[in-house]
């Protein structure tokens, strides 16, 4: 396999996958519409959301959770 062929295969593989940011409050999915081509960008937002304080609620505090899920394009 030549370097050019390996780069072409890698480029095709990268284009075929993207990352979906899943945003949850407690166990309920609130949003899953944000898509990213780069895992680092998705992880940046997930980490920032996970660092948010809990949300006060009459039933007790609600925890914010976010993670990235690889999906096919």
């Amino acid at each position: 396999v030549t370097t050019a062929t390996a780069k072409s295969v890698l480029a095709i593989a990268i284009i075929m996958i993207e990352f979906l940011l899943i945003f949850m409050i407690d166990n309920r999915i609130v949003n899953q519409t944000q898509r990213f081509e780069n895992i680092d960008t998705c992880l940046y937002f997930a980490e920032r959301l996970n660092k948010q304080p809990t949300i006060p609620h009459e039933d007790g505090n609600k925890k914010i959770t976010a993670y990235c899920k690889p999906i096919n394009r």
Side-chain angles (χ1 to χ4, degrees):
V1 175
T2 67
T3 303
T5 303
K7 285 182 182 177
S8 296
V9 169
L10 181 61
I12 291 169
I14 290 172
I15 292 171
M16 294 178 65
I17 210 167
E18 59 188 6
F19 302 92
L20 182 65
L21 179 64
I22 311 292
F23 176 72
M24 301 173 66
I25 297 179
D26 276 347
N27 294 325
R28 193 177 122 241
I29 294 176
V30 176
N31 187 292
Q32 54 182 345
T33 60
Q34 299 299 311
R35 296 172 180 244
F36 300 92
E37 291 182 5
N38 184 319
I39 184 67
D40 293 324
T41 306
C42 187
L43 288 173
Y44 169 81
F45 286 103
E47 288 172 8
R48 295 292 299 249
L49 287 166
N50 286 322
K51 290 179 181 177
Q52 297 299 307
T54 56
I55 301 167
H57 192 269
E58 61 190 30
D59 297 336
N61 290 341
K62 305 279 185 181
K63 181 174 174 35
I64 295 172
T65 307
Y67 62 92
C68 298
K69 177 181 174 182
I71 57 171
N72 292 328
R73 266 189 134 171

